[in-house]
Amino acid sequence: MFWKFDLHSSSHIDTLLEREDVTLKELMDEEDVLQECKAQNRKLIEFLLKSECLEDLVSFIIEEPPQDMDEKIRYKYPNISCELLTSDVSQINDRLGEEESLLMKLYSFLLNESPLNPLLASFFSKVLSILISRKPEQIVDFLKRKHDFVDLIIKHIGTSAIMDLLLRLLTCIEPPQPRQEVLNWLNEERIIQRLVEIVHPSQDEDRHSNASQSLCEIIRLSRDQMLQVQNSSEPDPLLASLEKQEIIEQLLSNIFHKEKNESAIVSAIQILLTLLETRRQTFEGHIEICPPGMSNSTYSVNKSVLEAIKARLSSFHELLLEPPKKSVMKTTWGVLDPPVGNTRLNVIRLISSLLQMNTSSVNQELIELNSIGVILDMFFKYTWNNFLHTQVEICIALILASPLESTENGTITDQDSTADNLLLKHLFLKCQLIERILEAWEMNEKKQAEGGRRHGYMGHLTRIANCIVHSTDKGPNSTLVQQLIKELPEEVRERWETFCTSSLGETNKRNTVDLVTTCHIHSSSDDEIDFKETGFSQDSSLQQAFSDYQMQQMTSNFIDQFGFNDEKFADQDDIGNVSFDRVSDINFTLNTNES
C-alpha cells in the first residue's frame, strides 16, 4: 500500500536550516517561510527566536529600505518581517513582549519626524497591536513608562496606522479592570482635549480627519462597552470628558474661527453627529423615525452637548448662507456658483439629527433662524444634488413624524399636540411647503411639455408629497396636518386636493413595482400558477406597501452611518439576515376579494 513508502518531502527550509551559515534573508526568500512558521516548524522558530534574528526582523519594520532598490521588492523584507512577527506564534510573542531591548527598538519608530512612512507605520502598528492583544499587561506597563507615548501619538495622528494603534489600545484589552486603567491613564494624559485641539483650521486635513475619526470611534466604543458592562461602577472617563460642555464649546470655537476651513468644520460636525447618535427600536408606522416618548433609545444624549450646539446654531445657520469659499463648478447642465459643498451638506445632516432629538428650545431656535426655510430653498435651487435632496427629505419627514416636543431634561411637554408643534406649523405656514411643492411640480410639467428634462429632485418631491398625504391620513400628527391644510387659502387647498388625486396618484401608479407576475409560471412539478387569479390588487395596497418600504429605507439610520468596520464583519450566514429586518415592518394589507 502507498503508506508503506515515505512520500513526505521535507521542506527546503529544513534543508537550509541544516547549514550553519544560513542567513535570515535566505529564509525570507523562501516562498513557504510564512506557512512553515504558522505550522510551528520547530527548527524555523528556534532560528527566528535568536536575538540577532528578532532584532533584524524589528529593524526591517522600522527602518527605511534602501532607496536604490527596485520598488517592486523594496518592501519585501519589511512585509515578510511583519507577517512573521504577527503570525501569532506564542514563543515569538513572549520574546517580543518580555525583552525590553526589542520593545525599545520597536518603539523607536515613533521617534521619527512626521510624516511617517505610511507602509512602515502600518507594519509597526500591526506588530504592536498584536502584542497589546497577547501581552496586555506587559505592553501597557511599558507604554505608561514612556512619558512621551501620548505626545508621539498626537504628533503622528495624521498617519492612519497610528490612529488605528490608538484605537487598538482601547479595543484589544478585554478584562474590565485593566481596560479601565488604560482609560484612566489616557484621560489623565488629556487625550480627548488634545484630539479636539487638532480639529482647528491651523492643522492639515489628514490630522483633522484622523482626530475626528478617533473621537467618533472612542464615543462608539465607550457607549458599546457601557451597554455590555451595565453594572460597572466606574463611568467611562474618556466619554465623560468629551461630553463636557466646555469641550464641545472649545471644538465649536475652533471651527468658527475667522477663517472658514471646510475640513475642520466637517470633521467637527462628524463628532457632533456621533454624540447625537441614538439607537432606537423600530416602531410600526410609515417611516423608521422614532420621536421621543415612543420608544426607549439605547444611547442617551448628554444635555450639555445639546446646550453647546444650541448656543452656536446661528453660526451653523450662517454657514448655510455663507459657506467656505469654493470655486465655480462647471457641469454638463450648467454652472454652480457656489456649489453645495460638503460643509452645507453636513450642516443639514446636523439639523436632521437635532430634529430627531425634538427638543423644544432647539426647535424654537431653528424657527427663529428659519433654517428649515433655507434648506428648502437649497432643495429647489440645486436641482441635481440628490445627496442634498435626501437630507432635506429626511428633515421634512422627521418634522411630520414628531408630534410632541421634549424639554431640555428629556421629558415630553404635556400640552395638546395641535398647539405644541410649532415646527410643523412653521413648515406649512412660513416655509409654505404645500405651495412650493405645487409650484415645483407645475414648473416641471411645463418644462417636460416643452421637451425639457425632468428635474432631478422630482423623485424626492414625490416621496415628500406622499409623506404629507400619509401624515394627513394616519400619521402621528394627523390632526394638526389636517388643520393646517384646511387653513390654506381656498385656491391652494383645491389645487392640493386635485394634485393628490390626479398628478400624484398617477405618478405613484407609474412608480409602483409589480410585486407579482402577470404571466403563467411553471413550477418544477409542472403545476400551473396564474397569479392574476390570486386576487392581489396591483393598485392601492401594493402601491402603499412599496411606498412604505421606500420611506423606511430612506429614513433609516443606515443612511447616516453608511460604512463598514472590519472588526464587525459578520459571517456570510449572518450577512444575509442584515438587510431584511425592515421588510418585516411593512404592513402588506392585500384585498384578496379583488379579481
Side-chain angles (χ1 to χ4, degrees):
M1 305 297 287
F2 70 89
W3 54 78
K4 289 183 180 180
F5 305 96
D6 184 11
L7 299 179
H8 175 69
S9 59
S10 61
S11 168
H12 188 242
I13 288 180
D14 290 332
T15 306
L16 286 174
L17 288 168
E18 291 175 1
R19 286 170 37 200
E20 291 184 1
D21 61 344
V22 66
T23 65
L24 178 60
K25 282 190 175 182
E26 284 182 290
L27 291 172
M28 293 171 74
D29 285 333
E30 293 297 314
E31 292 184 356
D32 58 346
V33 63
L34 293 177
Q35 181 181 342
E36 289 294 316
C37 182
K38 292 178 179 180
Q40 305 280 328
N41 183 312
R42 184 178 58 82
K43 289 183 180 180
L44 176 60
I45 291 175
E46 287 177 355
F47 182 86
L48 295 176
L49 288 174
K50 293 180 180 180
S51 295
E52 60 271 22
C53 288
L54 283 174
E55 286 187 10
D56 287 344
L57 288 172
V58 173
S59 295
F60 279 129
I61 288 174
I62 67 172
E63 296 175 2
E64 286 282 346
Q67 295 285 346
D68 57 355
M69 291 182 66
D70 186 348
E71 197 65 31
K72 293 182 179 178
I73 61 172
R74 190 172 173 225
Y75 290 98
K76 173 184 175 181
Y77 294 126
N79 180 47
I80 295 175
S81 297
C82 176
E83 293 301 319
L84 288 171
L85 293 176
T86 58
S87 57
D88 215 11
V89 175
S90 59
Q91 299 97 310
I92 295 177
N93 292 338
D94 291 342
R95 286 290 299 279
L96 271 178
E98 293 168 4
E99 285 201 19
E100 184 88 1
S101 61
L102 289 172
L103 286 176
M104 280 297 300
K105 191 176 186 68
L106 185 64
Y107 182 82
S108 68
F109 178 75
L110 288 175
L111 301 177
N112 292 321
E113 288 301 315
S114 295
L116 297 174
N117 182 313
L119 191 53
L120 293 182
S122 68
F123 297 151
F124 163 79
S125 177
K126 186 175 181 181
V127 172
L128 195 53
S129 292
I130 198 167
L131 289 177
I132 293 171
S133 177
R134 297 295 180 259
K135 299 283 180 181
E137 292 183 7
Q138 294 96 318
I139 302 304
V140 170
D141 181 65
F142 170 80
L143 295 176
K144 281 183 177 180
R145 285 187 277 114
K146 299 298 169 187
H147 299 298
D148 60 350
F149 174 69
V150 176
D151 296 337
L152 294 171
I153 290 292
I154 294 296
K155 176 182 177 181
H156 298 303
I157 199 69
T159 303
S160 295
I162 303 304
M163 175 194 70
D164 293 339
L165 176 62
L166 172 61
L167 298 177
R168 287 286 183 178
L169 194 58
L170 298 173
T171 57
C172 289
I173 302 175
E174 294 184 0
Q177 190 56 39
R179 184 179 185 278
Q180 189 67 35
E181 291 175 2
V182 170
L183 296 177
N184 291 335
W185 165 51
L186 291 175
N187 193 50
E188 290 168 4
E189 293 287 337
R190 300 181 70 252
I191 189 74
I192 296 297
Q193 291 87 336
R194 294 165 81 174
L195 287 171
V196 166
E197 288 170 2
I198 293 173
V199 185
H200 189 279
S202 62
Q203 303 283 335
D204 61 44
E205 290 189 17
D206 287 339
R207 289 174 64 77
H208 290 161
S209 176
N210 287 352
S212 172
Q213 189 175 339
S214 298
L215 290 169
C216 290
E217 288 302 317
I218 287 171
I219 295 167
R220 294 187 180 109
L221 289 170
S222 299
R223 287 174 168 176
D224 288 343
Q225 188 67 21
M226 288 170 64
L227 288 178
Q228 294 172 13
V229 190
Q230 294 184 354
N231 297 326
S232 175
S233 57
E234 296 185 73
D236 189 302
L238 298 184
L239 181 60
S241 293
L242 187 49
E243 288 182 330
K244 288 181 179 177
Q245 187 165 341
E246 57 266 30
I247 298 295
I248 305 300
E249 288 173 350
Q250 179 61 50
L251 176 67
L252 296 176
S253 176
N254 289 349
I255 64 171
F256 292 121
H257 200 258
K258 291 181 180 178
E259 172 195 354
K260 294 179 182 177
N261 183 291
E262 179 163 271
S263 173
I265 293 170
V266 170
S267 296
I269 292 177
Q270 292 300 318
I271 298 168
L272 298 178
L273 289 172
T274 308
L275 285 169
L276 293 174
E277 277 180 4
T278 58
R279 291 185 181 177
R280 304 178 183 278
Q281 301 172 358
T282 304
F283 74 108
E284 292 184 6
H286 184 54
I287 50 182
E288 192 179 328
I289 298 170
C290 198
M294 298 194 69
S295 176
N296 294 325
S297 61
T298 303
Y299 301 147
S300 60
V301 176
N302 196 300
K303 176 185 175 183
S304 61
V305 176
L306 286 171
E307 285 296 323
I309 296 174
K310 175 191 163 190
R312 286 286 193 168
L313 272 178
S314 59
S315 299
F316 282 114
H317 180 81
E318 185 63 27
L319 286 175
L320 292 175
L321 302 174
E322 294 289 338
K325 290 184 179 179
K326 295 180 98 39
S327 56
V328 174
M329 182 180 292
K330 295 181 179 180
T331 69
T332 55
W333 48 266
V335 175
L336 293 178
D337 184 17
V340 174
N342 207 11
T343 294
R344 292 200 283 185
L345 193 60
N346 277 275
V347 169
I348 296 174
R349 290 185 64 205
L350 178 62
I351 290 174
S352 71
S353 290
L354 292 172
L355 289 173
Q356 182 136 0
M357 292 298 100
N358 198 31
T359 308
S360 58
S361 61
V362 173
N363 288 356
Q364 186 62 44
E365 186 74 13
L366 291 173
I367 290 172
E368 291 177 6
L369 293 168
N370 192 31
S371 297
I372 306 302
V374 171
I375 66 174
L376 202 57
D377 290 341
M378 291 175 62
F379 179 96
F380 294 107
K381 177 180 178 180
Y382 295 97
T383 313
W384 301 101
N385 193 316
N386 288 154
F387 295 105
L388 167 66
H389 301 154
T390 297
Q391 292 304 321
V392 177
E393 183 181 353
I394 290 172
C395 289
I396 293 173
L398 281 163
I399 295 172
L400 289 168
S402 300
L404 299 175
E405 297 174 349
S406 62
T407 58
E408 283 73 8
N409 61 11
T411 59
I412 304 300
T413 53
D414 186 19
Q415 300 179 28
D416 180 74
S417 63
T418 59
D420 193 38
N421 201 324
L422 299 177
L423 199 56
L424 184 54
K425 291 181 178 180
H426 175 76
L427 181 64
F428 276 82
L429 301 178
K430 173 71 174 179
C431 301
Q432 296 185 318
L433 179 61
I434 296 292
E435 289 91 331
R436 301 200 69 172
I437 291 174
L438 293 172
E439 180 184 346
W441 199 285
E442 290 166 2
M443 189 184 304
N444 177 74
E445 287 186 339
K446 181 180 179 182
K447 184 176 181 180
Q448 284 191 282
E450 296 172 351
R453 184 180 298 177
R454 182 174 183 261
H455 285 156
Y457 53 65
M458 289 305 295
H460 293 276
L461 199 65
T462 300
R463 290 215 294 250
I464 291 172
N466 280 326
C467 195
I468 295 173
V469 171
H470 174 86
S471 298
T472 306
D473 294 340
K474 53 182 180 180
N477 207 22
S478 59
T479 304
L480 179 55
V481 176
Q482 290 172 14
Q483 179 182 322
L484 290 170
I485 292 178
K486 188 176 181 181
E487 292 174 358
L488 290 171
E490 184 177 356
E491 182 264 338
V492 175
R493 188 174 68 252
E494 289 177 356
R495 284 171 59 203
W496 173 253
E497 291 172 355
T498 304
F499 163 76
C500 291
T501 55
S502 57
S503 299
L504 182 62
E506 292 168 4
T507 300
N508 286 336
K509 193 170 184 178
R510 284 196 305 269
N511 291 344
T512 301
V513 174
D514 290 339
L515 299 182
V516 293
T517 183
T518 57
C519 62
H520 293 334
I521 297 180
H522 295 277
S523 68
S524 57
S525 60
D526 292 327
D527 291 333
E528 195 174 85
I529 304 173
D530 187 347
F531 280 89
K532 280 186 175 180
E533 297 176 1
T534 60
F536 285 174
S537 168
Q538 304 233 359
D539 291 324
S540 59
S541 54
L542 292 184
Q543 168 194 322
Q544 185 61 52
F546 180 67
S547 176
D548 287 354
Y549 173 73
Q550 279 188 313
M551 290 302 294
Q552 282 185 329
Q553 296 299 303
M554 179 278 294
T555 55
S556 167
N557 289 334
F558 180 73
I559 290 174
D560 288 334
Q561 300 169 4
F562 185 76
F564 296 99
N565 186 320
D566 59 348
E567 291 296 316
K568 298 178 182 178
F569 277 153
D571 293 332
Q572 290 299 318
D573 292 340
D574 297 328
I575 291 173
N577 299 325
V578 171
S579 58
F580 298 104
D581 55 349
R582 296 188 183 92
V583 179
S584 61
D585 297 323
I586 304 172
N587 183 16
F588 286 90
T589 307
L590 304 178
N591 185 355
T592 56
N593 295 322
E594 293 181 6
S595 56

